[in-house]
């Protein structure tokens, strides 16, 4: 019985490790991620055997994390997860008193197994939402300064004159300011950026020569190449063009036109955490930048953060990626500002590990879609005020309808690519430091600007200002690298006995009355020294707040120097009654400030008599650079961070039992999204009208109350549990041996084929491929670009072609998911009827898209089926 499993393990290790992720079969198997501790006594093989699972492969680039699976038919019909309940039995057996001799041997073994299985999580398919607002035809005047640069640098790209984000004729001060860098020969050579998105049209004449196949993968359809397949899989291609469009005669040019671009396709269907984690580390030695223009819905009512596995992948990326210099994660801040959405309610954009980029329009004004928050680092140019971003598109076309914070992020990524081309040794934190120091203030009279303690200007809308490519790269050239990262987790403050257990059950806490509740914590110079902490960068704050209407709650943090970070401002559409169960906020506003002294947090609400809440407690962490690099520590992501007080030792064997709901996509973006005039006169968050009347300062000593994780007791010993599993499943292993012999043959065949196939793509130096893939006349493309200025978007032409592109859909069954995720994309290109005329389609997703056109159908969840 052990033999086939051992062989399976051998096969999966030798064939799969270090290779491409294998195809997933979510319709026939349930997948889990097992975090294995190789030093705790039990081998991976033994753990897999005890759980009755098959080891598939390592989970992306996460060492000691394994993707395991079990056929769906093995699962019990009553909904009990056999794998999780096996683990629960193991854990309960392991916790038995060893002095009870009858079971001591098995409980000893169970203890070994139980501690060797550090974490087990069932994978759920979830959908990430793209970020792009509606397009508008740009002005087509093509004036002289453009001609001068074009002639000097031999730029013959027909859309170059429309790329105002490169040279802005009417508003010359508002561009990414990179042409001066091109003059110096800085074009991003040797740098790879990955577009984590919905695919990349790698055969497009504007992209083919810069396509980096080795760092590309399709995590939706589990293929090597990120082919855009759905009719509106154009988002990644448009973002890619902004960074790496080739200087030639197709469309426009990218900011880093000699850099390489990879496509990692994750947005064209639901995805599990393990695949999202793998995607964020894919090719992470050669790929420097991961440009991510997506996230939880921007609907003003979502509050969602990456799970443990994804957080681990991000930390793995900044720690081990790019030879230890750290992957640069660039995230779009989000397009939900008109729904009061804020980037501090999105765990990707408020991560300290990501560069969060919001948008300004061609006049440097704040486009009203662009989300504000204390975690915004910078802004970059994008759509608004009647202008869009002009870039490459699928089907060998050009796009003049790209925009939103989706397009701001790749503009920043392009600048970072130029900088890394010159200074490849910049760490992920250097990238942030230089951005903070070189970004430019726009609209100096905007009330949102405030001085930080370090003397810089910061705004929730603009972060530290608009990214200036020239200033950035000039500073990067001479920049002295920062010392390694240091951090301090300050002890938890619990108010009036505020506690939350691992099952999110809250108790205690201080009622939020008029004026709110405040609480203080003191940071001493000694504690800084003790933690090897020199200078401050990010501040994160975790809060535990119970409230009957989350959108009424505001949270602000005031530093010892009187600098205030609004962490949460009211969100009118957020009616959730779940409060803030250990939600983490982030601020970059305190960068380079001395943290010594009292930090005060204040939580208040709208004082609506119909709603009430309690502030249970908070924690604060300071992140910065070390005093002594020799004493640098490695940051370990805790498995459970949401309990109050935090219990970093806690195991969480059954966290996966909680169902994750697919995020409902945003489709509230107004049609005049990009046409509406930007503004520079309103503060991002209106200040509270009331001054605090009674401010309660509460200090609670931080004796951690033990809130042990509940482990369901299954009334079976390990042995009976195991025999049970094998009773049900013994034949599988017998049959497995036969199947295996056949499988080995087939496996070798496919493996060799895959190797051969890969070899065809790994060495894509450019020229050969580029020449052969130029199929279309430049004039044809130009015509299409201009066509796009008319009433009918270029995408609507695609409807006919699209039918053949939908092979991924199978109406007969498979996994269910909500297709409306594309709805937050721009209406024109997403095929949304603008003038009441729905474009025809005859596939299963048709109905949901059509239904979406009427405002009242927000709640209609149409499902399409997808087979893998
Ligand atoms: C842009 O770069 C040039 C150098 O090419 C520099 O002189 C200028 O100050 C920069 N900023 C703006 C806003 O143009």
């Amino acid at each position: 019985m052990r033999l086939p499993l051992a062989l399976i393990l051998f096969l999966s290790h030798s064939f799969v490790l270090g290779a491409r992720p294998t195809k997933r079969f979510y319709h026939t198997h349930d997948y889990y991620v097992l975090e294995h501790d190789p030093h705790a006594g039990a081998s991976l093989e033994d753990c897999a055997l005890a759980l009755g699972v098959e080891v598939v492969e390592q989970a992306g680039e996460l060492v000691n994390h394994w993707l395991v699976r079990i056929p769906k038919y093995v699962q019990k019909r009553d909904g009990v997860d056999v794998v999780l309940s096996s683990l629960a039995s193991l854990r309960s057996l392991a916790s038995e008193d060893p002095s009870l001799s009858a079971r001591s041997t098995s409980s000893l073994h169970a203890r070994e197994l139980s501690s060797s299985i550090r974490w087990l999580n069932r994978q759920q398919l979830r959908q990430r939402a793209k970020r792009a607002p509606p397009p508008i035809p740009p002005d087509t005047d093509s004036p002289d300064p453009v001609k001068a640069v074009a002639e000097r640098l031999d730029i013959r790209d027909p859309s170059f004159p429309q790329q105002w984000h490169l040279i802005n004729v009417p508003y010359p001060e508002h561009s990414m300011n990179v042409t001066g860098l091109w003059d110096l020969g800085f074009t991003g050579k040797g740098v790879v950026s990955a577009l984590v998105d919905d695919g990349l049209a790698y055969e497009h004449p504007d992209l083919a020569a810069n396509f980096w196949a080795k760092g590309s993968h399709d995590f939706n359809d589990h293929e090597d190449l990120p082919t855009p397949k759905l009719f509106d899989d154009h988002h990644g291609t448009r973002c890619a063009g902004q960074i790496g469009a080739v200087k030639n005669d197709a469309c426009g040019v990218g900011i880093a036109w000699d850099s390489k671009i990879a496509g990692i396709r994750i947005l064209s269907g639901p995805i599990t955490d393990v695949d999202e984690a793998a995607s964020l580390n894919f090719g992470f030695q050669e790929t420097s930048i991961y440009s991510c223009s997506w996230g939880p819905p921007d609907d003003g009512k979502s509050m969602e953060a990456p799970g443990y596995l994804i957080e681990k992948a991000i930390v793995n990326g900044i720690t081990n990626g790019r030879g230890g210099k750290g992957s640069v994660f660039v995230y779009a801040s989000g397009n939900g500002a008109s729904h009061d959405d804020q980037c501090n309610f999105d765990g990707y954009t408020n991560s300290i590990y990501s560069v969060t980029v919001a948008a300004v329009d061609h006049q440097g004004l704040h486009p009203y879609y662009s989300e504000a928050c204390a975690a915004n680092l910078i802004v970059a140019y994008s759509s608004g005020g009647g202008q869009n971003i002009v870039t490459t598109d699928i089907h060998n076309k050009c796009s003049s309808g790209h925009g939103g914070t989706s397009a701001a992020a790749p503009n920043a990524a392009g600048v970072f690519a130029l900088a890394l081309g010159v200074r490849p040794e910049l760490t992920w934190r250097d990238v942030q430091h230089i951005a903070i120091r070189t970004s430019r203030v726009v609209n100096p009279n905007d009330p949102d600007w405030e001085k930080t303690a370090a003397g810089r200007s910061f705004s929730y809308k603009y972060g530290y200002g608009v990214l200036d490519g020239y200033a950035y790269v000039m500073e990067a050239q001479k920049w002295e690298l920062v010392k390694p990262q240091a951090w301090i987790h300050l002890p938890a403050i619990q108010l009036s006995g505020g506690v939350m257990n691992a099952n999110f059950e809250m108790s205690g806490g201080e009622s939020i009355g008029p004026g709110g509740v405040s609480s203080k914590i003191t940071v001493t110079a000694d504690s800084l020294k003790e933690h090897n902490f020199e200078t401050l960068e990010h501040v994160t704050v975790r809060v535990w707040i119970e409230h009957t209407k989350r959108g009424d709650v505001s949270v602000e943090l005031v530093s010892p120097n009187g600098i205030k970070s609004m962490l949460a401002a009211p969100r009118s559409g957020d009616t959730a009654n779940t409060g803030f169960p250990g939600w983490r906020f982030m601020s970059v506003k305190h960068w380079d400030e001395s943290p010594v002294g009292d930090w005060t947090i204040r939580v208040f609400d709208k004082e609506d008599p119909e709603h009430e809440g309690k502030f249970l407690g908070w924690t604060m962490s300071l992140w910065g650079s070390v005093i002594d690099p020799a004493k640098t520590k490695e940051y370990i992501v805790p498995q459970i961070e949401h309990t109050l007080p935090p219990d970093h030792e806690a195991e969480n064997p059954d966290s996966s039992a909680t169902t994750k709901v697919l995020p409902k996509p945003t489709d509230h973006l107004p049609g005049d999204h990009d046409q509406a005039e930007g503004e520079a006169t309103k503060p991002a968050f209106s200040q509270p009208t009331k001054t605090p009347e009674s401010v309660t300062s509460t200090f609670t000593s931080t004796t951690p109350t033990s809130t042990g994780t509940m482990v369901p007791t299954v009334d079976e010993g390990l042995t009976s549990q195991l025999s049970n599993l094998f009773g049900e499943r013994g034949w599988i292993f017998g049959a497995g041996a036969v199947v295996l012999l056949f499988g080995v043959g087939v496996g070798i065949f496919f493996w060799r084929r895959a190797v051969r196939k890969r070899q065809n793509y790994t060495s894509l130096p450019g020229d050969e491929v580029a020449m052969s893939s130029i199929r279309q006349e430049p004039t044809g493309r130009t015509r299409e670009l201009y066509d796009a200025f008319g009433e009918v978007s270029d995408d609507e032409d695609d409807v006919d072609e699209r039918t053949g592109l939908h092979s991924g859909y199978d109406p007969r069954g498979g996994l269910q998911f909500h297709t409306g995720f594309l709805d937050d994309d721009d209406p024109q290109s997403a095929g949304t009827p603008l003038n009441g005329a729905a474009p025809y389609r005859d596939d299963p997703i048709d109905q949901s898209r059509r239904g979406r056109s009427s405002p009242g159908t927000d709640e209609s969840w149409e499902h399409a089926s997808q087979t893998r």
Side-chain angles (χ1 to χ4, degrees):
M1 206 145 287
R2 289 181 69 118
L3 186 66
L5 189 68
L7 262 173
I8 289 168
L9 280 168
F10 167 76
L11 285 173
S12 29
H13 286 217
S14 52
F15 282 125
V16 177
L17 199 65
R20 298 268 170 175
T22 53
K23 193 165 174 68
R24 316 283 192 243
F25 298 93
Y26 292 116
H27 54 302
T28 57
H29 288 74
D30 286 331
Y31 286 80
Y32 303 78
V33 171
L34 188 165
E35 184 177 351
H36 177 239
D37 182 349
H39 309 297
S43 66
L44 173 64
E45 189 184 355
D46 284 344
C47 296
L49 190 67
L51 299 172
V53 294
E54 172 197 356
V55 177
V56 180
E57 62 190 8
Q58 181 177 299
E61 296 284 352
L62 294 174
V63 174
N64 293 327
H65 293 64
W66 298 91
L67 184 66
V68 300
R69 67 174 190 178
I70 187 172
K72 273 194 194 294
Y73 58 79
V74 179
Q75 296 282 18
K76 293 204 179 110
R77 238 175 280 134
D78 57 10
V80 175
D81 184 310
V82 294
V83 179
L84 296 179
S85 63
S86 299
L87 180 62
S89 328
L90 266 181
R91 295 242 197 269
S92 82
L93 191 59
S95 62
E96 273 177 19
D97 185 351
S99 62
L100 301 172
S101 56
R103 278 178 169 179
S104 62
T105 324
S106 61
S107 88
L108 191 73
H109 186 51
R111 247 193 302 279
E112 271 182 6
L113 286 167
S114 177
S115 48
S116 298
I117 302 169
R118 285 203 65 222
W119 187 72
L120 182 72
N121 180 271
R122 182 160 165 176
Q123 294 298 298
Q124 319 263 351
L125 288 166
R126 285 184 292 143
Q127 185 67 55
R128 298 286 173 216
K130 302 178 202 180
R131 288 179 170 159
I136 181 78
D139 220 4
T140 57
D141 290 341
S142 55
D144 277 348
V146 179
K147 219 175 255 170
V149 173
E151 275 168 18
R152 199 161 70 230
L153 294 162
D154 190 26
I155 297 172
R156 281 166 288 122
D157 298 69
S159 310
F160 181 58
Q162 281 79 50
Q163 292 186 296
W164 61 264
H165 68 284
L166 299 175
I167 301 176
N168 190 341
V169 177
Y171 304 97
E173 70 278 26
H174 293 300
S175 80
M176 295 309 299
N177 204 20
V178 291
T179 57
L181 298 170
W182 298 342
D183 283 330
L184 296 170
F186 300 162
T187 51
K189 218 173 176 61
V191 180
V192 183
S193 306
L195 286 300
V196 185
D197 213 291
D198 61 6
L200 198 153
Y202 46 85
E203 288 179 330
H204 194 296
D206 214 12
L207 302 177
N210 283 340
F211 177 58
W212 181 252
K214 200 180 164 199
S216 299
H217 192 74
D218 182 341
F219 282 92
N220 285 131
D221 292 331
H222 306 287
E223 296 170 357
D224 285 352
L225 289 171
T227 314
K229 296 193 192 88
L230 307 182
F231 76 100
D232 52 359
D233 277 352
H234 51 223
H235 189 259
T237 299
R238 293 176 178 183
C239 292
Q242 293 178 259
I243 302 173
V246 179
K247 180 165 78 90
N248 58 6
D249 56 3
C251 301
V253 288
I255 285 176
W257 72 54
D258 277 333
S259 68
K260 296 285 179 211
I261 37 173
I264 298 175
R265 187 166 179 258
I266 69 162
L267 299 180
S268 305
I271 184 162
T272 55
D273 281 4
V274 65
D275 285 347
E276 190 179 319
S279 76
L280 292 172
N281 287 162
F282 197 79
F284 74 159
Q285 292 314 327
E286 283 138 333
T287 296
S288 297
I289 300 165
Y290 292 80
S291 187
C292 303
S293 293
W294 46 268
D298 295 331
D299 53 9
K301 47 194 176 191
S302 302
M303 188 174 84
E304 214 190 300
Y308 171 65
L309 209 57
I310 300 169
E311 172 107 18
K312 275 201 107 162
I314 293 173
V315 170
N316 189 33
I318 57 102
T319 312
N320 302 313
R322 210 161 49 95
K325 293 292 177 188
S327 307
V328 177
F329 294 104
V330 181
Y331 271 86
S333 79
N335 295 335
S338 59
H339 312 294
D340 295 337
D341 210 351
Q342 300 154 33
C343 36
N344 240 326
F345 286 80
D346 168 341
Y348 295 91
T349 48
N350 82 3
S351 163
I352 65 168
Y353 305 115
S354 61
V355 177
T356 299
V357 185
V360 282
D361 70 14
H362 69 122
Q363 299 179 75
L365 296 172
H366 171 243
Y368 69 94
Y369 57 80
S370 179
E371 290 181 26
C373 74
N376 255 345
L377 199 73
I378 47 170
V379 283
Y381 289 98
S382 189
S383 62
Q387 295 284 335
N388 287 293
I389 295 295
V390 175
T391 177
T392 317
D393 207 352
I394 53 170
H395 301 320
N396 290 350
K397 292 182 185 175
C398 312
S399 170
S400 56
H402 192 39
T405 56
S406 263
N411 276 341
V415 168
F416 300 151
L418 292 178
L420 292 177
V422 180
R423 284 293 301 276
E425 69 274 32
L426 296 175
T427 70
W428 67 275
R429 278 168 52 245
D430 292 309
V431 169
Q432 297 195 16
H433 270 276
I434 300 171
I436 284 169
R437 279 169 177 77
T438 62
S439 293
R440 244 181 317 114
V441 168
V442 280
N443 313 312
N445 297 323
D446 188 304
D448 216 36
W449 288 111
E450 290 174 80
K451 277 274 184 258
T452 69
R456 300 192 183 101
S457 295
F458 180 86
S459 135
Y460 301 114
K461 285 190 283 198
Y462 313 112
Y464 283 95
V466 69
L467 184 62
D468 180 321
Y470 192 84
Y472 190 94
V473 176
M474 287 302 126
E475 184 64 35
Q477 279 189 294
K478 54 175 198 239
W479 178 253
E480 193 183 321
L481 300 186
V482 292
K483 291 194 269 186
Q485 192 182 29
W487 60 89
I488 305 178
H489 301 306
L490 292 150
I493 306 273
Q494 291 165 275
L495 284 83
S496 305
V499 169
M500 190 182 83
N501 68 17
N503 295 326
F504 297 90
E505 288 154 1
M506 298 178 171
S507 60
E510 188 125 350
S511 284
I512 302 171
V517 178
S518 17
S519 166
K520 265 198 293 202
I521 193 162
T522 309
V523 175
T524 63
D526 283 349
S527 70
L528 294 181
K529 216 172 281 166
E530 195 183 307
H531 286 87
N532 194 22
F533 193 100
E534 192 164 66
T535 52
L536 180 63
E537 294 165 4
H538 312 84
V539 175
T540 56
V541 166
R542 215 177 257 285
V543 295
W544 286 262
I545 299 167
E546 195 172 43
H547 206 277
T548 54
K549 189 178 175 210
R550 188 170 64 200
D552 277 4
V553 178
S554 297
V555 181
E556 59 182 41
L557 177 75
V558 181
S559 77
N561 303 291
I563 303 299
K564 184 168 86 183
S565 280
M566 280 304 286
L567 300 176
R571 303 199 301 169
S572 53
D574 182 358
T575 55
N577 60 8
T578 44
F580 297 80
W583 179 255
R584 180 170 54 197
F585 292 111
M586 194 268 273
S587 174
V588 293
K589 199 172 172 179
H590 305 284
W591 204 282
D592 284 335
E593 170 171 352
S594 163
V596 175
D598 287 348
W599 290 78
T600 309
I601 192 170
R602 185 164 76 103
V603 175
F604 51 102
D605 62 14
K606 292 188 155 175
E607 295 172 25
D608 176 347
E610 312 235 306
H611 291 287
E612 57 176 16
K614 282 179 178 169
F615 182 24
L616 281 75
W618 62 297
T619 61
M620 184 169 81
S621 300
L622 307 176
W623 309 80
S625 70
V626 294
I627 302 167
D628 179 2
K631 293 191 207 140
T632 304
K633 289 180 294 180
E634 189 187 345
Y635 181 67
I636 309 291
V637 180
Q639 282 185 14
I640 296 189
E641 298 184 276
H642 66 264
T643 59
L644 178 67
D647 179 5
H648 287 191
E649 299 306 308
E651 294 288 324
N652 190 14
D654 53 354
S655 63
S656 49
T658 55
T659 320
K660 284 170 193 155
V661 181
L662 291 174
K664 179 85 173 71
T666 306
D667 65 345
H668 317 270
L669 293 173
D672 63 343
H673 214 250
D674 56 338
Q675 295 170 54
E677 292 306 316
E679 58 85 19
T681 51
K682 294 195 293 282
F685 311 125
S686 46
Q687 300 300 307
T689 43
K690 269 207 168 151
T691 43
E693 285 156 20
S694 68
V695 175
T696 326
S697 276
T698 315
F699 293 87
T700 311
S701 77
T702 55
T703 12
T705 2
S706 177
T707 57
T709 316
M710 298 283 295
V711 177
T713 316
V714 178
D715 198 16
E716 283 174 309
L718 171 71
T719 19
S720 67
Q721 180 75 23
L722 283 180
S723 64
N724 223 338
L725 289 170
F726 290 118
E728 282 167 25
R729 233 173 288 151
W731 68 272
I732 301 172
F733 293 105
V738 178
V739 173
L740 200 71
L741 285 172
F742 175 68
V744 169
V746 174
I748 291 175
F749 169 77
F750 279 107
W751 173 70
R752 293 191 57 179
R753 209 173 72 149
V755 167
R756 230 177 301 136
K757 195 170 163 197
R758 220 176 304 140
Q759 282 163 350
N760 288 345
Y761 292 107
T762 37
S763 56
L764 253 193
D767 299 72
E768 316 94 80
V769 183
M771 296 315 291
S772 64
S773 57
I774 297 176
R775 292 199 196 94
Q776 211 170 338
E777 295 298 312
T779 47
R781 281 186 299 274
T782 315
R783 183 187 56 79
E784 277 148 12
L785 177 68
Y786 282 85
D787 280 353
F789 299 166
E791 295 256 272
V792 181
S793 113
D794 47 353
D795 294 280
E796 276 162 354
D797 303 338
D798 300 345
V799 173
D800 294 339
E801 304 166 31
R802 189 183 40 78
T803 331
L805 296 169
H806 264 242
S807 53
Y809 284 95
D810 182 350
R812 283 161 301 175
L815 287 163
Q816 305 293 303
F817 73 101
H818 179 231
T819 59
F821 67 90
L822 296 167
D823 294 355
D824 82 326
D825 213 337
D826 54 274
Q828 278 184 349
S829 29
T832 305
L834 279 180
N835 314 316
Y840 170 75
R841 35 188 84 90
D842 62 359
D843 61 15
I845 63 169
D846 186 15
Q847 294 309 313
S848 66
R849 293 180 180 284
R850 210 177 283 165
R852 175 190 169 283
S853 59
S854 50
T857 55
D858 215 10
E859 305 304 317
S860 76
W861 277 64
E862 294 283 340
H863 291 91
S865 313
Q866 188 161 22
T867 311
R868 282 157 211 285

